[in-house]
Amino acid sequence: QQYDIHGGAQDLIFPHHEAEIAQMESLSGKKPFVKYWLHSGFVTIEGRKMSKSLDNSITIGDLLKNYSAQALRFMIISSHYRSPIDYSEDLIKQSAAATQRIAEFINKLKIIKGNVEDENQIEDSIARTKERITVAMDDDFNTPVALAELFIFIGKINSLIAENNLGENHANKVTEFIKNIDGFLGIVSESETILQNISELVEQREKLRQEKNFDDADKLREQISSLGYSIDDTPYGPLIKKIQ
């Protein structure tokens, strides 16, 4: 007779959902029928409406043949649920690169040994990030802001790792925090095993790109390709995939 949350696309507000409210509240005599309505934006394909008549529909099954479920979820929640999503191959590749980066970050945390003297900053950073993500999610499920806060946090911890300033105890706490956040985001996947020499070549290429030495970077891309891996450059970093 009553719901806390009811979802649906924006085109269902009138007449469908207004009819539901009128019918159910008249029948039950209870108000409100729904406490929170979540009306989502539409999905377009490279600026055009997704429809069978245009033959541009992409199913979840199609996407999962080439990308993980976590990459798909990341793509969806990187936009606010009320906003439209304009699907493109670049967008899903960016999302796959982002989830790959998170998985690699967690794997990096697993191999940290020993402890350092000053680790209070880690607990403070975890607490602040948790608070900011909570505020974002309380603000009409603002997942884009929550994701941004998560990546700011990962960047800070990566800096500490690079400086050998993160101990095992707090690496474990960071891992636990990420997994707790993932309990509602659902974007952490098992990272694909990439050979150490490939990872090193990719890092060298990224350094060359940052130095704007694109000729040598392209040579490394060709070398990596000859070893059976492809690279797609995205705002979240390189997406590395084994060539099928």
Side-chain angles (χ1 to χ4, degrees):
Q1 294 181 338
Q2 291 178 294
Y3 292 102
D4 281 331
I5 299 174
H6 192 317
Q10 291 173 357
D11 58 341
L12 299 180
I13 296 174
F14 177 83
H16 302 287
H17 290 164
E18 291 192 9
E20 274 192 80
I21 294 169
Q23 291 168 355
M24 199 63 221
E25 289 185 355
S26 297
L27 178 65
S28 69
K30 296 180 179 180
K31 294 185 178 182
F33 167 48
V34 175
K35 289 183 181 178
Y36 304 100
W37 287 95
L38 275 67
H39 290 108
S40 58
F42 300 121
V43 178
T44 57
I45 302 286
E46 296 181 344
R48 303 176 73 195
K49 180 182 177 182
M50 183 190 292
S51 69
K52 290 182 180 179
S53 61
L54 294 173
D55 194 29
N56 66 346
S57 296
I58 299 175
T59 68
I60 291 174
D62 291 335
L63 286 175
L64 293 181
K65 290 175 183 176
N66 297 306
Y67 300 98
S68 69
Q70 289 78 15
L72 176 58
R73 278 183 63 87
F74 189 97
M75 181 185 75
I76 293 169
I77 66 174
S78 60
S79 297
H80 190 271
Y81 76 91
R82 294 190 191 275
S83 301
I85 296 176
D86 186 31
Y87 173 83
S88 67
E89 193 68 18
D90 284 343
L91 183 61
I92 188 65
K93 284 180 179 178
Q94 288 177 27
S95 302
T99 57
Q100 189 176 85
R101 181 181 168 192
I102 297 170
E104 289 171 355
F105 172 68
I106 291 176
N107 283 343
K108 199 184 297 183
L109 292 170
K110 291 178 182 177
I111 61 175
I112 292 175
K113 302 297 179 185
N115 288 302
V116 297
E117 291 183 8
D118 182 17
E119 292 188 329
N120 289 332
Q121 59 176 318
I122 303 296
E123 294 183 357
D124 291 343
S125 186
I126 288 174
R128 285 195 300 271
T129 303
K130 181 180 179 181
E131 181 181 0
R132 288 168 181 163
I133 290 176
T134 300
V135 168
M137 294 302 291
D138 283 348
D139 181 19
D140 195 19
F141 296 105
N142 200 330
T143 50
V145 172
L147 289 175
E149 293 293 346
L150 178 61
F151 274 95
I152 290 170
F153 174 74
I154 288 174
K156 289 178 180 177
I157 302 302
N158 267 328
S159 296
L160 292 175
I161 293 173
E163 298 164 0
N164 292 318
N165 201 20
L166 184 73
E168 182 178 356
N169 288 341
H170 282 72
N172 291 337
K173 288 187 178 182
V174 171
T175 301
E176 182 182 359
F177 170 65
I178 297 288
K179 288 182 176 178
N180 286 340
I181 296 298
D182 195 55
F184 56 86
L185 293 181
I187 56 174
V188 176
S189 59
E190 292 294 327
S191 63
E192 182 181 348
T193 302
I194 298 170
L195 297 176
Q196 181 66 28
N197 65 318
I198 300 297
S199 296
E200 290 172 358
L201 289 172
V202 171
E203 288 180 11
Q204 290 174 29
R205 178 177 174 273
E206 277 300 290
K207 186 177 179 182
L208 289 170
R209 277 166 44 80
Q210 289 169 9
E211 295 169 353
K212 301 191 183 302
N213 186 349
F214 298 115
D215 289 339
D216 287 341
D218 286 343
K219 290 176 184 176
L220 274 182
R221 177 197 279 273
E222 291 173 5
Q223 182 181 350
I224 293 165
S225 178
S226 70
L227 294 170
Y229 288 84
S230 67
I231 297 177
D232 287 299
D233 295 311
T234 83
Y236 287 100
L239 172 61
I240 312 164
K241 295 186 76 175
K242 197 164 187 176
I243 299 172
Q244 301 297 326

